[in-house]
Amino acid sequence: MKLPSQNPTKTKAWKALQEHFSAIKNQSLKDLFVSDSKRGSELSIKWEDFYVDYSKNIIDTTTKRLLLDLAKEVGLPQAMESYFAGETINATEGRAVQHVALRAPKGKTITIDGVNIVDEVAQVKEKIKGFTEKVISGTHKGYTGKAITDIVNIGIGGSDLGPVMITEALEHYKNHLKVHFISNIDGDHVHQNLKKFDAETTLFVVVSKSFGTQETLSNAITARKWFVEKAGGSEAVSKHFVAVSSNVQKVTDFGIDPNNIFPLWDWVGGRFSLWSAVGLSVALSIGFEQFDELLAGAHDMDEHFKNTDFEENIPVLLGLLSVWYNNFFEAETEALIPFNQYLHRLPAYLQQGIMESNGKGVDRNGDTIDYQTGTIIWGEPGTNSQHAFFQLIHQGTKIIPTEFIGFKKSLFGDKEHHDKLMANYFAQTEALMNGKTQEEVLAELKEKNMSQDQIDTLAPFKVFKGNRPTTSLLIEKLTPKSLGKLVAMYEHRIFVQGIVWNIYSYDQWGVELGKQLASNILSEIDANKVAEHDSSTTNLLNEFLN
Ligand code: G6Q
């Protein structure tokens, strides 16, 4: 079954939303709270260990109803059926999109081309389990009989960002293994890293779905060369190099033992692959059981998304809110602020997930789109970001819907620190909504023993308009399971938004283009001969070559 294809702007709900938008766009959030004392609980969802409060958004019950109408009118329910059934919803690449199968419990059936992929996933998980146990326990020895101490993940994009983000996020849960990531083709990056390793105790995990990515292959070749030099030969490569890939032939040609290959399937998109063997470095770092907890959390969110009424469905509602700001308020970006240092790579990870998936300008009929799609995501942890770019969110000229992620409990249990951190989390959303009126500013300045002239001059700069929308996610504690839920929530939101915008979220032709362009220019650099380009590129290349 094909995904439904409906231009969202031609729906009844969209037209109704446009009219409604004119009426509500200047609505004061503060007033909405005054007029409805239950707003906070009406526009929030309690689900398992998540509390999602979306009441500080410029919406009312009509907005919510119309957004839900839009979801139905563009065929979200049918699209979800296709998504969960393993249909070929990545039509431009002719693939199913089944990261949900990677975390489906054993015994479930999801069939692609007559094969129950849940069984295939279970086999690879067994392999991950066996291997990680051996490495962690020290049974897997390096070429001189020493246990492995350092894991080096070599991969880029989807084969790097997820594993890095999760490893950092779950640092508290990790074991003795030190995990490193080499991604950039920048030789300084790989050489700087290699200096840190001891060949006898280092395990390289080369992650590339295609095993054709220039960065990863170059870095893997450099690492292998370094290793062979240190080990005095290539016999020991099999003890120190494993690969995660769907291209067995290419991995074998590269010289990695076929027994050391952790397979991957074409129905797993790179940016959704951390749940597969691409997460091997995560499993090595936190152990298989906790890796499985991460998957279990994601599965819980899959079930929530699949089975919950849209009215209470977290990915559906948050996805629709994004559409509301993107397409009606014309918000240019969205900020994501985890009040948690461990999650410092979450915004970067989601930049890929969200922007690579929904940064599309052609709809599912192949027609050019004349409305806005993919949102721009950015962010840094709080409270650091408060001392940096929050100024613009508070007083700048742009509307930036901001998402706050906080946890009730800290991991080390230092209550004093945690209370201070969370006080900021709460205070910021309140301040962004309430702002500060001229009267408040004047009253504040009057206390300061200033002349009336000084007060009048300074007052306008200290006024905050407020009405800046925020959504708060308050989660019990950062654990492998809750992290799995959180990441899966964003994945499903990407799907929801892609369906509303009538785009294909699971291809990435822009990324493929980059891969081709660089290889053409590299042949010119290799031949020391610049072909015909625009005068800017020609000059730059000549400057580089001279
Ligand atoms: C992700 C993208 C992209 C991809 C990298 C690495 O969805 O397709 O980021 O993950 O280009 O690709 P390989 O894993 O094939 O090396």
Side-chain angles (χ1 to χ4, degrees):
M1 198 169 75
K2 268 179 76 178
L3 283 177
S5 180
Q6 166 68 53
N7 180 335
T9 66
K10 303 281 185 254
T11 58
K12 272 200 244 153
W14 193 278
K15 298 211 170 71
L17 277 163
Q18 272 172 328
E19 276 170 35
H20 171 67
F21 173 70
S22 316
I24 200 175
K25 65 180 177 198
N26 296 319
Q27 173 68 52
S28 142
L29 270 172
K30 242 194 303 190
D31 291 351
L32 285 173
F33 276 92
V34 172
S35 63
D36 177 5
S37 61
K38 296 206 186 82
R39 182 178 167 89
S41 21
E42 280 164 2
L43 299 179
S44 60
I45 302 168
K46 267 192 181 165
W47 171 76
E48 298 193 354
D49 49 348
F50 278 45
Y51 180 65
V52 181
D53 180 342
Y54 58 98
S55 63
K56 292 195 187 86
N57 282 289
I58 309 170
I59 56 167
D60 60 14
T61 44
T62 309
T63 328
K64 182 172 167 182
R65 180 176 51 78
L66 293 176
L67 285 170
L68 293 175
D69 286 351
L70 174 66
K72 286 180 197 129
E73 237 184 295
V74 296
L76 181 62
Q78 299 88 298
M80 281 170 72
E81 275 178 36
S82 301
Y83 177 49
F84 282 103
E87 288 169 21
T88 313
I89 64 164
N90 176 1
T92 56
E93 294 182 333
R95 293 172 182 164
V97 175
Q98 269 303 323
H99 39 277
V100 294
L102 298 168
R103 54 242 189 174
K106 236 176 162 175
K108 257 197 128 169
T109 307
I110 302 175
T111 325
I112 294 183
D113 297 333
V115 177
N116 182 11
I117 56 171
V118 181
D119 290 343
E120 290 196 353
V121 169
Q123 281 170 23
V124 178
K125 276 173 73 177
E126 276 305 309
K127 185 164 176 161
I128 297 174
K129 184 170 187 275
F131 182 69
T132 50
E133 280 171 2
K134 275 199 227 146
V135 176
I136 296 166
S137 66
T139 325
H140 177 100
K141 307 275 187 225
Y143 69 98
T144 55
K146 289 187 186 165
I148 297 297
T149 56
D150 290 75
I151 310 294
V152 185
N153 187 95
I154 300 181
I156 195 163
S159 299
D160 167 72
L161 285 160
V164 180
M165 184 275 285
I166 301 280
T167 309
E168 299 269 317
L170 298 179
E171 193 187 344
H172 184 75
Y173 298 87
K174 77 184 287 299
N175 53 36
H176 61 286
L177 294 171
K178 294 195 272 299
V179 187
H180 315 264
F181 293 88
I182 296 178
S183 49
N184 203 323
I185 187 76
D186 182 351
D188 293 341
H189 180 45
V190 60
H191 290 294
Q192 183 63 41
N193 266 291
L194 288 174
K195 272 170 63 178
K196 296 190 253 177
F197 311 139
D198 177 350
E200 294 177 51
T201 55
T202 300
L203 175 76
F204 292 93
V205 182
V206 185
V207 187
S208 176
K209 184 176 157 188
S210 59
F211 226 77
T213 304
Q214 190 194 47
E215 289 89 338
T216 303
L217 292 190
S218 303
N219 284 328
I221 289 168
T222 303
R224 192 177 188 278
K225 201 167 147 238
W226 170 88
F227 175 80
V228 169
E229 266 169 30
K230 296 273 176 197
S234 58
E235 304 79 63
V237 166
S238 68
K239 292 194 168 73
H240 292 264
F241 279 78
V242 300
V244 179
S245 184
S246 59
N247 199 329
V248 176
Q249 191 53 52
K250 280 196 176 171
V251 181
T252 320
D253 293 348
F254 178 86
I256 290 181
D257 188 337
N259 292 324
N260 288 356
I261 303 175
F262 292 81
L264 196 63
W265 307 270
D266 73 353
W267 42 263
V268 184
R271 55 193 173 276
F272 303 97
S273 64
L274 70 90
W275 323 97
S276 70
V278 169
L280 186 62
S281 49
V282 176
L284 283 162
S285 140
I286 58 172
F288 182 79
E289 268 170 32
Q290 296 195 100
F291 180 65
D292 214 23
E293 278 286 290
L294 177 84
L295 304 191
H299 176 69
D300 284 356
M301 182 53 80
D302 298 342
E303 292 293 297
H304 166 81
F305 177 52
K306 192 174 165 194
N307 302 322
T308 310
D309 200 82
F310 282 5
E311 298 259 337
E312 294 287 311
N313 193 312
I314 303 169
V316 170
L317 289 175
L318 298 194
L320 291 172
L321 271 176
S322 242
V323 171
W324 176 235
Y325 289 115
N326 188 55
N327 296 89
F328 295 89
F329 281 88
E330 296 179 2
E332 287 156 22
T333 72
E334 286 174 10
L336 183 79
I337 314 293
F339 273 67
N340 181 293
Q341 196 56 36
Y342 292 108
L343 291 182
H344 72 124
R345 294 296 289 164
L346 183 68
Y349 167 76
L350 289 173
Q351 272 174 341
Q352 179 187 31
I354 295 172
M355 292 161 74
E356 198 168 292
S357 300
N358 285 340
K360 309 286 163 65
V362 168
D363 71 13
R364 287 198 290 271
N365 295 314
D367 296 327
T368 303
I369 282 169
D370 61 0
Y371 48 88
Q372 289 292 323
T373 62
T375 45
I376 299 169
I377 298 292
W378 57 286
E380 280 287 323
T383 62
N384 297 24
S385 45
Q386 286 170 215
H387 300 265
F389 53 73
F390 259 61
Q391 166 61 35
L392 191 144
I393 303 183
H394 278 288
Q395 284 190 306
T397 51
K398 295 175 171 61
I399 179 168
I400 302 176
T402 305
E403 211 152 285
F404 285 68
I405 302 172
F407 296 87
K408 290 191 202 167
K409 294 195 183 104
S410 72
L411 299 187
F412 281 88
D414 187 328
K415 189 167 160 20
E416 209 183 317
H417 270 277
H418 197 62
D419 288 351
K420 286 179 188 161
L421 171 76
M422 293 307 284
N424 279 279
Y425 164 95
F426 299 114
Q428 284 290 339
T429 63
E430 203 174 28
L432 284 164
M433 172 172 80
N434 290 337
K436 204 184 253 185
T437 61
Q438 188 162 21
E439 295 73 57
E440 286 167 324
V441 171
L442 291 175
E444 211 177 83
L445 292 177
K446 277 201 180 105
E447 305 269 295
K448 292 205 166 148
N449 202 14
M450 291 167 95
S451 72
Q452 193 56 44
D453 248 16
Q454 284 172 316
I455 291 177
D456 291 343
T457 311
L458 193 54
F461 301 99
K462 300 198 87 171
V463 170
F464 290 68
K465 282 197 203 140
N467 238 32
R468 313 269 153 152
T470 62
T471 300
S472 304
L473 276 86
L474 186 59
I475 303 166
E476 192 66 28
K477 190 173 171 182
L478 177 61
T479 61
K481 196 163 187 182
S482 66
L483 183 64
K485 293 176 191 178
L486 183 69
V487 176
M489 188 273 285
Y490 284 107
E491 289 181 343
H492 296 315
R493 251 169 95 165
I494 291 169
F495 171 80
V496 169
Q497 290 173 232
I499 293 301
V500 173
W501 289 324
N502 196 22
I503 54 178
Y504 284 120
S505 300
Y506 299 101
D507 58 18
Q508 55 285 312
W509 301 109
V511 175
E512 311 302 332
L513 173 73
K515 294 186 186 183
Q516 282 164 21
L517 294 180
S519 66
N520 295 345
I521 291 204
L522 183 61
S523 354
E524 294 172 39
I525 293 176
D526 283 346
N528 203 9
K529 194 164 185 308
V530 179
E532 206 170 308
H533 296 273
D534 57 87
S535 61
S536 161
T537 311
T538 306
N539 290 348
L540 286 164
L541 274 167
N542 281 325
E543 194 67 28
F544 177 69
L545 289 173
N546 292 335

